[in-house]
Amino acid sequence: MSKSIELEYKTLLTLDQFNALITHFNLQATDPLVQTNTYYDRTDQILLQHNAAFRLRNFPDSAEWTIKQRVDSLKSIELTESLNTPLTPPKRLSSTTITNSDIHTFVTDILEDWSQLVITYQMTTHRWTIPFRGGELCLDRTNFGSTTDFELEFEFNHIDDEKYWLELLAAFEIEYKIADKKIARAKSYASITN
């Protein structure tokens, strides 16, 4: 189990901006990491009301359960339980689904009946990562069903690393607009298509 505080900047990109960054960092021949995220919540979105998201993230050879709670626009607390193999996303969860006590306590403090947690959103992300100024840049192409978007994310360690983020955006003439988390974008795209 891991517990971390995540610091990140993120902005949405146009397809042209995304392709320019892929070319600039010579990633054309690099296979991205493919991850499929399945989000769970109650139908009344009780976790979202607590600024939290609960997901199963499947990779080709592993998986992880993660509960994330936003602290502010740049910071989230993240608890993760790693699994050695991918997992078929259960339609409903139970209190025995998660073995990690910190995740279990976090969720149980918000709701008692785990069986109320159902799949709310699914998306698949193709991610390219680049070490950058002591942190990591992530270039994401995410498919939310019928909608695909492009995102640049900078995971950093010190708040004064903002200057590197702003320099990169300026170099590519990218307007910085704080991007919503993927789960919020999934909700938005779902309401557009319904």
Side-chain angles (χ1 to χ4, degrees):
M1 195 282 298
S2 69
K3 181 178 183 177
S4 62
I5 294 178
E6 183 179 70
L7 296 168
E8 65 185 10
Y9 292 106
K10 56 174 61 192
T11 192
L12 291 178
L13 302 171
T14 66
L15 176 58
D16 288 342
Q17 291 168 332
F18 178 82
N19 287 333
L21 288 165
I22 290 287
T23 300
H24 174 78
F25 289 108
N26 297 313
L27 300 172
Q28 303 90 321
T30 304
D31 290 332
L33 176 64
V34 179
Q35 55 192 38
T36 300
N37 295 318
T38 304
Y39 285 86
Y40 292 85
D41 205 337
R42 239 172 31 189
T43 55
D44 65 356
Q45 298 188 321
I46 188 69
L47 294 176
L48 199 55
Q49 292 172 34
H50 284 84
N51 294 316
F54 188 39
R55 74 171 176 235
L56 171 64
R57 175 174 281 170
N58 273 302
F59 302 101
D61 299 321
S62 63
E64 62 188 25
W65 287 103
T66 301
I67 187 84
K68 250 177 143 171
Q69 187 172 39
R70 188 180 68 228
V71 175
D72 60 36
S73 64
L74 299 177
K75 188 187 308 182
S76 297
I77 296 171
E78 186 173 301
L79 303 170
T80 301
E81 177 180 328
S82 298
L83 306 170
N84 293 326
T85 59
L87 181 68
T88 300
K91 291 185 190 240
R92 288 190 176 273
L93 300 185
S94 73
S95 60
T96 60
T97 304
I98 304 297
T99 59
N100 176 275
S101 62
D102 290 334
I103 294 174
H104 197 276
T105 299
F106 183 97
V107 173
T108 304
D109 284 349
I110 295 173
L111 62 109
E112 290 183 26
D113 185 1
W114 279 68
S115 69
Q116 295 176 341
L117 291 173
V118 296
I119 294 173
T120 53
Y121 304 106
Q122 286 186 300
M123 66 205 66
T124 299
T125 298
H126 293 76
R127 172 171 279 188
W128 290 262
T129 58
I130 307 109
F132 183 75
R133 304 286 190 162
E136 184 175 67
L137 285 178
C138 301
L139 277 164
D140 290 350
R141 180 182 71 222
T142 302
N143 182 318
F144 299 86
S146 62
T147 303
T148 299
D149 76 16
F150 305 91
E151 175 185 71
L152 176 64
E153 182 177 301
F154 177 37
E155 296 180 0
F156 60 96
N157 298 310
H158 305 285
I159 198 68
D160 53 338
D161 289 346
E162 178 184 30
K163 63 185 174 196
Y164 304 129
W165 171 250
L166 296 175
E167 287 170 3
L168 177 69
L169 296 182
F172 286 89
E173 298 179 0
I174 298 169
E175 182 181 355
Y176 178 40
K177 294 181 183 175
I178 296 173
D180 285 334
K181 301 279 187 190
K182 285 182 179 71
I183 188 170
R185 299 197 321 260
K187 181 180 179 185
S188 172
Y189 297 147
S191 67
I192 290 169
T193 58
N194 289 338

